[in-house]
Amino acid sequence: MWVVDAKTRRLIAVNGAMCRHYGYSRQDLLAMSEHQLAYAEQQAAAECDCELHRTADGEVIEVVIESRPLVYDGRSAHVCVGFDVTERNRAQQRVSYLAGHDALTELPNRAALGQHLSAAIDRAEITGSAFAVLCIDLDHFKAINDRFGHAVGDAVLREAARRLQEVSQGSYVARVGGDEFIGIIDQAPLPATAELLATRMRAQFEQPIEVDGHALKIDLCVGVALYPRDAGDSVALLANADAALYRAKHEGRGAIRLFTSAMDQQLRDRRELEHDLLAAVERGELYLEYQPQQYRDGTVMAYEALVRWRHPVRGIIPPGEFIPIAERSGSIAQIDDWVLKEACREAASWDQPLRVAVNVSAAQFRRENLDRQVRRSLRDSGLPAARLELEITEGVLIEDMPRAKRTMQSLKALGILIALDDFGTGYSSLSYLEAFPLDRIKIDRSFVASLGQSDRSLAIVRAVIGLAHGLGVPVLAEGIETEKQMSLLMQEGCDEMQGYLIGRPRSLVSSRPSKSASRRAAS
């Protein structure tokens, strides 16, 4: 609080709080005028209905002042109360900023994109002009996120956003979720300038992104839709750009595609598939097939459960087609739960007490209740815990090692087995092999497929087998399709086998698992 002379605006009384807040002594303040407290540039203060003051150490603060006249020591004066609203205004500005920006990349977010698109359409209608929407997706970002964890994934997204913004040269770029970005360009001639921008964006990722010593190669897929040629409103325009992106992703890494009318039907088909998948579990359309796993001597010791979808109209839909849709739509959680429960139920009915292996998705492993799900499935089915093996990819283990270790320990406490799936394709750190209670390591099919053709693959397979045996853990090779692959694996001391040469996935309902008729080998 302070009192100022009504005519001269000199300070004639101040309280202790003012001295402390402004950093001046009482004597210094009483030698000053109110104008000397003010910061020279007051433009910014107009927006918040406050005044800018400068403290003794040079800090600029935002102050709301309330005053009323009074007579002080016989002269006309004003008593003033100042409220420092600097932090409040900064917080409000931050909230306002975050409402329209992505917190990770600082790019405009989905809400801001909607407003920008509406404004762009309004301008285009008035001027009779056109613009293009680019739907941008980072190729194989999910694999990086799964293998190296969210911290690395976030760093990749930040750098990707920086590169996209840098090359856009003023064109609008927003992040709308995950690894998906949207660009908007209105420079003529279209669509040539849109394709050129997409090409420049791709060129920005020719150099790998360096994060924590990892050189991560990223490429882009881009789908492009034009206003008003391809759609007359923002919802349809974004959907059509997404349809073009969907086609680009299916045609190969780093593709750029413009929307065509044929894609409209494909988009509707995909949406129908996504809708149908949400009800597939309740309708009983999902079923399991089982692929045998055998010892070196040809004895079948387990079956891996593989989910299938029999659509009432489209017939059998491959997992490679519906699993990505399930992951995007969120229905993967329901499918994961069903697969675990059904695999336990069916395995409990087998005549021979063989093990059943069930894949655990990254999303399922991250949930807090995985051990409760497993316990419930075992209890409801009556399947002994020792006959259930969960296959977990290495990416989810390194994402948060302390949490992963706790989850693994709670699972092992139930008495089940745990296999490390797709070993060699991700982080492959010796530290987590020692840290986690693994019962089996699976060599990824990509290395098995190259056996006999690539010395590097043979060297990797040999190293994995030696490493696992040194830890006292058996090794299973998956994806075996030829006698030559089988022979090389046997020579290297591989313990267990899986693949089309051993047996194709099939239904085991009301059937009796037995020794493989297709394969017997001497140990």
Side-chain angles (χ1 to χ4, degrees), residues 387-461:
R387 289 183 55 199
L388 175 63
E389 179 174 87
L390 298 184
E391 296 188 355
I392 301 171
T393 58
E394 56 185 320
V396 301
L397 298 184
I398 64 162
E399 186 176 286
D400 183 345
M401 287 188 62
R403 182 184 178 281
K405 193 170 184 179
R406 291 194 300 271
T407 301
M408 295 270 275
Q409 288 171 342
S410 65
L411 291 171
K412 288 294 292 180
L414 299 176
I416 68 167
L417 304 177
I418 296 177
L420 183 63
D421 199 11
D422 299 338
F423 184 77
T425 61
Y427 195 73
S428 304
S429 166
L430 300 183
S431 62
Y432 74 74
L433 285 181
E434 185 178 26
F436 295 121
L438 300 172
D439 298 288
R440 183 166 284 94
I441 291 176
K442 296 186 72 174
I443 300 176
D444 185 68
R445 64 182 63 248
S446 61
F447 300 118
V448 174
S450 300
L451 286 178
Q453 305 169 20
S454 166
D455 291 340
R456 290 176 62 87
S457 289
L458 179 59
I460 290 172
V461 167

Side-chain angles (χ1 to χ4, degrees), residues 301-522:
M301 82 296 188
Y303 284 87
E304 180 179 0
L306 303 168
V307 64
R308 302 290 187 256
W309 182 17
R310 184 183 290 105
H311 192 278
V313 176
R314 303 169 189 252
I316 304 298
I317 299 177
E321 184 174 342
F322 75 81
I323 292 298
I325 293 175
E327 290 175 337
R328 284 196 301 270
S329 66
S331 58
I332 189 66
Q334 187 182 30
I335 293 174
D336 285 337
D337 293 347
W338 180 86
V339 169
L340 177 62
K341 184 176 181 180
E342 186 69 5
C344 289
R345 187 188 68 81
E346 291 188 356
S349 70
W350 295 345
D351 293 332
Q352 294 185 23
L354 303 184
R355 190 171 65 248
V356 61
V358 179
N359 288 280
V360 174
S361 72
Q364 190 176 17
F365 188 80
R366 292 187 193 110
R367 279 186 277 167
E368 297 293 336
N369 64 344
L370 180 57
D371 58 336
R372 291 196 296 274
Q373 286 178 288
V374 172
R375 186 184 296 108
R376 187 185 309 115
S377 296
L378 293 172
R379 183 191 65 227
D380 293 348
S381 65
L383 183 74
R387 289 183 55 199
L388 175 63
E389 179 174 87
L390 298 184
E391 296 188 355
I392 301 171
T393 58
E394 56 185 320
V396 301
L397 298 184
I398 64 162
E399 186 176 286
D400 183 345
M401 287 188 62
R403 182 184 178 281
K405 193 170 184 179
R406 291 194 300 271
T407 301
M408 295 270 275
Q409 288 171 342
S410 65
L411 291 171
K412 288 294 292 180
L414 299 176
I416 68 167
L417 304 177
I418 296 177
L420 183 63
D421 199 11
D422 299 338
F423 184 77
T425 61
Y427 195 73
S428 304
S429 166
L430 300 183
S431 62
Y432 74 74
L433 285 181
E434 185 178 26
F436 295 121
L438 300 172
D439 298 288
R440 183 166 284 94
I441 291 176
K442 296 186 72 174
I443 300 176
D444 185 68
R445 64 182 63 248
S446 61
F447 300 118
V448 174
S450 300
L451 286 178
Q453 305 169 20
S454 166
D455 291 340
R456 290 176 62 87
S457 289
L458 179 59
I460 290 172
V461 167
R462 181 177 295 145
V464 171
I465 293 173
L467 172 63
H469 286 175
L471 295 171
V473 179
V475 177
L476 185 149
E478 59 181 351
I480 302 172
E481 298 185 359
T482 68
E483 294 283 355
K484 187 171 186 179
Q485 293 167 355
M486 173 71 87
S487 176
L488 286 170
L489 287 165
M490 295 287 287
Q491 291 174 26
E492 296 301 328
C494 187
D495 305 284
E496 300 159 359
M497 322 288 176
Q498 180 180 350
Y500 283 177
L501 187 68
I502 312 300
R504 290 178 176 269
R506 61 186 177 89
S507 173
L508 289 183
V509 178
S510 301
S511 66
R512 179 186 294 269
S514 62
K515 286 191 175 184
S516 169
S518 62
R519 182 87 241 146
R520 282 189 179 275

Side-chain angles (χ1 to χ4, degrees), residues 253-331:
R253 188 181 179 104
I256 300 169
R257 291 293 176 267
L258 295 174
F259 178 79
T260 65
S261 56
M263 294 177 187
D264 191 41
Q265 182 59 47
Q266 295 170 350
L267 178 61
R268 286 197 294 269
D269 289 346
R270 182 156 61 99
R271 284 176 173 168
E272 288 176 6
L273 209 59
E274 186 175 301
H275 177 268
D276 292 345
L277 189 55
L278 291 171
V281 172
E282 286 82 357
R283 293 174 180 168
E285 295 168 6
L286 299 183
Y287 65 99
L288 297 178
E289 289 188 334
Y290 297 88
Q291 187 170 33
Q293 299 173 342
Q294 71 175 35
Y295 291 121
R296 288 171 57 89
D297 65 358
T299 303
V300 173
M301 82 296 188
Y303 284 87
E304 180 179 0
L306 303 168
V307 64
R308 302 290 187 256
W309 182 17
R310 184 183 290 105
H311 192 278
V313 176
R314 303 169 189 252
I316 304 298
I317 299 177
E321 184 174 342
F322 75 81
I323 292 298
I325 293 175
E327 290 175 337
R328 284 196 301 270
S329 66
S331 58

Side-chain angles (χ1 to χ4, degrees), residues 11 25 51 159 170-171 240 248 259 319 329 370 400 413 421 459:
L11 300 173
S25 68
E51 296 184 19
E159 174 60 14
S171 295
N240 289 347
F259 178 79
S329 66
L370 180 57
D400 183 345
D421 199 11

